[in-house]
Amino acid sequence: MTSNLDDLQGLGFVLYRSSARPGLDGAAMQDILRTARQRNQLLGLTGCLHHEDGLFFQWLEGPADSLRLVLSSLLNDERHLEFEILDQGALDHRRFQDWRMRFSDRDRASLMDWFARSDSSTVHRSDYAGGVVAFMMGIDI
Ligand SMILES: Cc1cc2nc3c(=O)[nH]c(=O)nc-3n(C[C@H](O)[C@H](O)[C@H](O)COP(=O)(O)O)c2cc1C
């Protein structure tokens, strides 16, 4: 599934993990979500963001041009560090069609608990990325 976004024309996705800047508070979180939703609306992007134990996991999907634009913003955003792409590539259909950016945190559902309960391996990157997506898609909001 993984491929580079550089040459992609149609619908694509990016899944990444980053760590929240230490001290990032609720107000800053609301600010991130407000900007994200406004801009995603303009750019035709949908997806979800999960925040747990100081980590962000985000799935973004939409036109490849829009993804490239937002990715460059994300890479320069000092509200998170240690940005790491877990998976990216072409997509046949959207997984979060109705969400400009769904948000979840540990109170809603725990990724760490999900991994502890599941058979998914966290050792291999592709299994890890697949587990994160399965968790995200399984959250009932
Ligand atoms: C964890 C996190 C998730 C974000 N998600 C999005 C997003 O989904 N869409 C978006 O446009 N910006 C998102 N942002 C904000 C961008 O990094 C950036 O601040 C914003 O798009 C404005 O871009 P600009 O500063 O290049 O003008 C996110 C920021 C953080 C820290």
Side-chain angles (χ1 to χ4, degrees), residues 31-113:
D31 208 51
I32 289 172
L33 282 174
R34 191 170 42 246
T35 315
R37 287 171 176 152
Q38 275 167 5
R39 197 162 180 223
N40 291 349
Q41 169 86 38
L42 287 172
L43 293 173
L45 294 171
T46 47
C48 68
L49 175 66
H50 183 74
H51 181 224
E52 177 168 345
D53 292 351
L55 295 176
F56 286 122
F57 295 83
Q58 189 173 28
W59 170 277
L60 267 162
E61 60 189 13
D65 285 341
S66 301
L67 283 176
R68 283 188 283 264
L69 254 177
V70 169
L71 261 182
S72 68
S73 294
L74 284 165
L75 283 167
N76 287 314
D77 197 321
E78 292 177 353
R79 293 172 292 185
H80 61 175
L81 318 157
E82 296 161 344
F83 188 93
E84 193 184 348
I85 303 251
L86 300 177
D87 201 3
Q88 61 183 346
L91 200 63
D92 50 2
H93 69 277
R94 290 181 193 253
R95 312 290 199 256
F96 297 92
Q97 175 78 40
D98 300 330
W99 295 94
R100 285 299 159 205
M101 189 44 60
R102 190 187 77 183
F103 179 72
S104 54
D105 59 15
R106 204 197 167 97
D107 294 341
R108 169 69 61 176
S110 166
L111 175 63
M112 308 309 155
D113 291 352

